[in-house]
Amino acid sequence: MAAPMAAAAARAALWAAGAAVAGPLRLRAARLPGSRWNGSGAALGRILSVPSWCSRSSSALGGIPSVPSRWNGSSSALGSLLGIPAEAPPAALGQHPPPVATDKEEQKRLLEHRPDQPPQPRVLRIAIIGAPNAGKSTLCNQLLGRKVFPVSKKVHTTRCKARGVITHEDTQLIILDTPGLTNPLKAKRHNLDEAMLTDPWDSMKHADLVLVLVDVSDHWTRNSLSKEVLRCLSQFPHIPSVLVLNKVDVLKKKFLLLEIATDLTEGIVNGRKLEVKSSPKQDSRSSVKLPLRPTQASPPESKVPGSPCGQERNQAQEGSGLDRSSDAGGAGTGEGPEHHGFKDLKDMKGWPCFQEIFMLAALRGEEVDTLKRYLLMQAKPGPWEFHSEVLTSQSPQEICDNIIREKLLEYLPLEVPYGVSQVTHVWEEGECGELIIVQSLLVPRESHKRMLIGRGGKVISRIAQEAGQDLMNAFLCEVRLKLKVEVKG
């Protein structure tokens, strides 16, 4: 008993020492930095030659308030395209998150422990949805500051919903990482559990805000939201939604970001129309001003009670093909949120109810802190759900299994990794406080076994080495991982 307690104390001391070096974190309720589309000195204001002394409510659009803000952050995407000088980056948030407990019972006690919340706590529950492989888990890990969710280039790496916890001063963000929205046919092809179909919808029921992540590097899908995403948003129109364009660093032609944003929002953000005139293709290296003309949307005829995006949908009736007469579930009665019927979604490419748009590169961490500050500001008064030392709701064994499966997806071809089962035989603490893990990987065929072991054992050794390193970073302790490959009996 003394050895586990000593190891836990050492890990806690290491984390506390790192936090002490970083110093106290402060968050001011001030305007966010970055190349915003509104506000004093904003990007749009500079395009339209608006003086920087103009107030936020009247700078870019000459008196029209509530213009879509934060289309991108400091020195990224639009700012780089237009050649706007980058603002000084603010201090990073959450550089020293707590480690994950290596003992299952210790993690369980932490999860059951009464939250050590301040007198006036604030909380925000965030659901992150999107197509498979859009970068949801990568964004979650970057927001948390520690890798606890599996990441892979292949689809369906995340198999079930899991929660990440960010505790900053008096605010707690609860991130609901969900599997990519898919359909029953694709779920059957990849041997996925039924939970893969239902978890994203369940997460939406408990969310205060939803982030819709889109991979702008995929030219096949970047100009339209998938039908699964649109269906999910249409079933919960009362939940505020934010569009996040990911992998902008991979996109060479940065001017395409405006076209993508316009398509994905049906030309409306936060109730305001944005018109982008067509123009000849520009060199991505140039900083030419974009032909942009923001306008105020015409007054809506009616607004659905209980739905904050009712106004935006009404404003976009002609352009988006929405039909109020076919709304399902008692729309307009005031008894609940409005729902779109399937006919409404058939011709839609985007969602006209987004409140904000962010452009970032999650893998490189670019502009993630800008999004994080925005999320912290959106938190509302309410009780915390977790103790401040909790980083994730997952058990240490679940984190281990997920990280090993991530490596299997990375190094095995085609559908082979989806048929691998994992069995943990040993999970114990060594004499020097190191974590010893022995796990068997069960494959259906002898050919798969040879493929997984690799010539001279190179593949399985590389998987064990990389997975062990990730586990060390999650648990903040030495990890000795041994993997064995067997054919299922």
Side-chain angles (χ1 to χ4, degrees), residues 34-47 50 52 59-60 84:
S35 308
R36 298 168 305 280
W37 277 69
N38 68 324
S40 174
L44 186 57
R46 300 183 194 186
I47 294 175
V50 179
S52 60
S59 63
I84 299 174

Side-chain angles (χ1 to χ4, degrees), residues 31 45 49 87 92 94 131 147 161 172 188 214 395 459-460 483:
R31 64 179 181 86
S49 301
E87 299 180 12
K147 183 177 180 180
K161 64 181 177 182
Q172 189 167 90
K188 183 177 180 181
V214 176
S395 70
V459 175
I460 192 66
L483 299 177

Side-chain angles (χ1 to χ4, degrees), residues 103-114:
D103 181 69
K104 183 178 181 180
E105 293 303 319
E106 181 185 348
Q107 175 73 348
K108 185 178 179 180
R109 284 194 299 270
L110 272 177
L111 292 174
E112 295 175 349
H113 201 285
R114 184 176 180 179

Side-chain angles (χ1 to χ4, degrees), residues 470-483:
D470 286 347
L471 292 174
M472 289 174 59
N473 295 335
F475 300 139
L476 283 187
C477 72
E478 187 71 25
V479 175
R480 290 168 55 189
L481 175 63
K482 181 179 180 180
L483 299 177

